């Protein structure tokens, strides 16, 4: 499965999920994370071509598996002339430093991924 995930620099590749999170946070305190597609180069958002979902995970240093923070589905693709934007703001708390991992799915161009480090200080 991992072979199917594509990545790149989000400034040059419109599919790569852009993750905005603080570099340093305090243990147990809510961390606000914004994940979106197409910050630098907009991705199409039409009935035929759209971002279907974003998933966000946190992999704490030394942990065997990442933990899923959330799955965000973008459901409107033109019905009633309405389009959901692939843009999510959420919060989580962590006790250990680790990596935020975001994955996304374009109905035409498949699976994409990105990650950022978050330092958690006691
Ligand atoms: Fe696409």
């Amino acid at each position: 499965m991992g072979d199917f995930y594509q990545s790149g620099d989000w400034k040059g590749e419109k599919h790569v999920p852009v993750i905005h999170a603080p570099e340093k946070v305090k243990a147990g305190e809510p961390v606000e994370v914004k994940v979106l597609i197409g910050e630098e180069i907009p991705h199409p958002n039409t009935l035929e071509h759209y971002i279907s979902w974003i998933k966000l995970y946190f992999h704490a240093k030394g942990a065997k598996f990442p933990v899923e923070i959330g799955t965000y589905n973008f459901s409107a693709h033109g019905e009633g002339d309405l389009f959901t934007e692939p843009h999510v703001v959420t919060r989580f708390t962590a006790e250990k430093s680790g990596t935020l991992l975001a994955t996304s799915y374009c109905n035409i161009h498949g699976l994409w991924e990105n990650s950022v480090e978050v330092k958690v200080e006691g």
Side-chain angles (χ1 to χ4, degrees):
M1 185 68 183
D3 293 346
F4 293 115
Y5 281 99
Q6 306 162 79
S7 198
D9 182 351
W10 60 265
K11 287 180 180 162
E13 169 49 63
K14 62 179 175 277
H15 287 91
V16 175
V18 183
I19 307 168
H20 290 288
E23 281 176 30
K24 278 186 197 172
V25 301
K26 289 211 169 100
E29 289 196 357
V31 181
E32 190 158 294
V33 183
K34 180 165 83 173
V35 188
L36 69 156
I37 309 294
E39 180 164 296
E40 194 75 21
I41 310 167
H43 182 275
N45 193 4
T46 67
L47 179 61
E48 297 80 19
H49 186 189
Y50 54 83
I51 302 299
S52 189
W53 51 255
I54 290 174
K55 288 174 186 277
L56 187 64
Y57 306 85
F58 187 75
H59 182 229
K61 257 186 198 137
K64 192 166 182 184
F65 305 111
V67 172
E68 182 182 347
I69 293 173
T71 293
Y72 312 97
N73 294 308
F74 309 116
S75 300
H77 307 294
E79 44 276 64
D81 294 325
L82 195 143
F83 296 85
T84 317
E85 292 283 326
H87 185 136
V88 171
V89 177
T90 189
R91 288 181 180 195
F92 73 104
T93 64
E95 298 297 332
K96 282 184 178 177
S97 297
T99 308
L100 270 173
L101 304 137
T103 59
S104 62
Y105 180 70
C106 167
N107 72 315
I108 306 270
H109 301 106
L111 293 161
W112 294 82
E113 66 177 345
N114 197 6
S115 63
V116 298
E117 301 295 318
V118 178
K119 190 169 184 183
V120 177
E121 296 176 329

